[in-house]
Amino acid sequence: MLNVAVCDDEKNIRTYLSSLVKKQGTACEITEYASVEEYLSACGEHDLLFLDIEMSADSASDRNGMWLAGQLQGMELAKQPLIVFVTGYEKYVFDAFDVGAFQYLVKPVDEQKFAEVFKRAVTRLSGEAQQQKKALIVQYANEKRVIPLKDIYYMESRGHKIMFYMEKEKPEYYAKIGELENELRGRFYRIHKGYLINLSHVRGYNRTEVTMANGNKLLISKYKYDGFVKAYMDYLSEG
């Protein structure tokens, strides 16, 4: 069962989007919210969120959909929904991806386009669900540790050890980064001889560095840039 939220201050839009979700043939529990405040006060956890960008509870509030997306991005990874922005203005598109949006739909929402985006979202969520089941078993502090791959932002090679950068800790163990690169190909990419990054935690990049979800900016080798872009695009297209 997929938990879907529709957050828009226009009731007719909420009703329309909910009806489109129901048409997709996927078992869903749909919850509608009329404002950012209503969404936050409900404290619900959702897999997929259709979010209006321009929405604001009142004219004096800056708590629009973009603001809410920024707040959600700061939550624990397991609680972050996949966000599809719904907007009447394409000028917001680049800002949408800055806050980790998966896709966007332009109003009036085309039914066929909605179906395509919804299908991609379900595929991504399904893939992430499978990814969450995968983990590395490492020797750490005199015990075996199970580290879910989804929790790893990136790995750094330090001498003969690998350091894992995660939300709350940085465990390390003896391993070769080249072997991990081969084992985790498809979800992780080696952007530099010392860095193996989780593609699902990439938040931005240019020719010299990659910005990760924890805010860290990592140097990317000029010889790795083209391969990284291809791997990242392939990863996104699978979603």
Side-chain angles (χ1 to χ4, degrees):
M1 176 72 71
L2 203 64
N3 289 313
V4 178
V6 177
C7 192
D8 195 298
D9 56 359
E10 297 182 64
K11 180 174 176 54
N12 62 319
I13 298 295
R14 295 197 305 273
T15 301
Y16 178 59
L17 293 176
S18 294
S19 70
L20 291 181
V21 172
K22 294 173 183 176
K23 286 183 178 181
Q24 304 312 307
T26 298
C28 295
E29 181 176 329
I30 307 169
T31 309
E32 297 181 12
Y33 301 96
S35 68
V36 168
E37 287 75 12
E38 188 177 321
Y39 181 94
L40 291 174
S41 64
C43 298
E45 292 187 14
H46 305 283
D47 302 304
L48 179 60
L49 168 61
F50 290 94
L51 179 61
D52 179 21
I53 292 181
E54 299 85 1
M55 174 187 55
S56 179
D58 57 71
S59 59
S61 173
D62 62 353
R63 293 188 172 190
N64 59 12
M66 196 69 71
W67 179 89
L68 176 58
Q71 298 301 301
L72 295 175
Q73 194 175 26
M75 295 172 58
E76 293 179 27
L77 293 172
K79 296 182 179 180
Q80 292 182 22
L82 200 63
I83 298 175
V84 175
F85 273 125
V86 183
T87 176
Y89 306 94
E90 292 196 50
K91 66 181 181 181
Y92 291 114
V93 170
F94 294 108
D95 291 336
F97 293 114
D98 283 342
V99 290
F102 170 69
Q103 259 294 354
Y104 73 96
L105 293 165
V106 177
K107 297 178 181 178
V109 177
D110 177 77
E111 189 168 339
Q112 182 176 345
K113 179 64 176 178
F114 181 94
E116 293 171 359
V117 170
F118 187 86
K119 182 178 180 180
R120 289 189 62 209
V122 171
T123 301
R124 166 65 68 83
L125 290 167
S126 177
E128 289 181 351
Q130 291 299 315
Q131 181 72 2
Q132 289 173 5
K133 298 177 182 178
K134 298 179 181 179
L136 288 174
I137 300 177
V138 304
Q139 185 72 33
Y140 175 67
N142 298 318
E143 67 175 2
K144 294 286 186 181
R145 284 283 304 277
V146 178
I147 302 180
L149 298 183
K150 67 180 181 64
D151 292 344
I152 303 170
Y153 291 110
Y154 65 94
M155 305 175 200
E156 180 182 4
S157 177
R158 291 189 175 185
H160 298 293
K161 289 185 177 181
I162 298 295
M163 176 174 286
F164 296 90
Y165 285 79
M166 302 163 68
E167 187 171 4
K168 297 180 180 178
E169 57 180 338
K170 297 178 182 178
E172 58 183 27
Y173 82 118
Y174 289 98
K176 295 180 180 179
I177 197 168
E179 294 178 355
L180 288 170
E181 177 185 9
N182 291 330
E183 181 180 347
L184 303 175
R185 194 176 303 278
R187 289 289 178 177
F188 284 71
Y189 189 83
R190 193 172 178 183
I191 60 169
H192 182 275
K193 65 179 181 181
Y195 296 125
L196 183 62
I197 66 171
N198 189 335
L199 294 174
S200 69
H201 293 316
V202 171
R203 290 296 177 265
Y205 65 89
N206 56 39
R207 285 195 166 272
T208 60
E209 63 185 17
V210 177
T211 302
M212 304 304 294
N214 63 352
N216 289 2
K217 298 180 182 297
L218 307 178
L219 180 68
I220 182 170
S221 166
K222 63 180 181 180
Y223 304 108
K224 293 284 190 176
Y225 178 77
D226 289 341
F228 159 71
V229 172
K230 183 180 184 306
Y232 188 51
M233 292 301 107
D234 287 345
Y235 168 78
L236 292 178
S237 66
E238 290 174 3

